[in-house]
Amino acid sequence: MGLALARSDGFTRPGPAAVGVIAAALSFVLLAFALRVLPVGTAYAVWVGLGALGVALAGILILGESASAARLVCLLLILIGVVGLRLLEG
């Protein structure tokens, strides 16, 4: 979603803008499904964490952003936190 919206150039490019809006809607639908089995705080934290992780990885892999060791460690910490939250609520 974030990557598509960044490429939409302020919603002036309809293709990427449409992809971003559809991805956002799908993301909300998936959050709603998660809320069936997780408390709202945990579901939201997992949703935000995975979104941030996904956009950061897309930036690295697609846009050539920095993949420094420190940045990768921080992304790993986000992943560990998301997995930990899910396991603790399981």
Side-chain angles (χ1 to χ4, degrees), residues 65-87:
E65 293 178 0
S66 169
S68 68
R71 187 169 188 197
L72 294 176
V73 167
C74 291
L75 293 174
L76 180 62
L77 290 172
I78 292 172
L79 180 61
I80 290 168
V82 166
V83 170
L85 281 172
R86 179 60 185 108
L87 290 176

Side-chain angles (χ1 to χ4, degrees), residues 51-62:
L53 184 64
V55 171
L57 289 176
I60 291 169
L61 297 173
I62 297 170

Side-chain angles (χ1 to χ4, degrees), residues 13-76:
R13 297 179 59 213
V19 169
V21 170
I22 291 167
L26 179 61
S27 179
F28 278 108
V29 168
L30 294 174
L31 175 61
F33 281 118
L35 287 170
R36 291 180 176 179
V37 295
L38 294 172
V40 68
T42 300
Y44 187 73
V46 168
W47 182 65
V48 170
L50 290 177
L53 184 64
V55 171
L57 289 176
I60 291 169
L61 297 173
I62 297 170
L63 300 177
E65 293 178 0
S66 169
S68 68
R71 187 169 188 197
L72 294 176
V73 167
C74 291
L75 293 174
L76 180 62

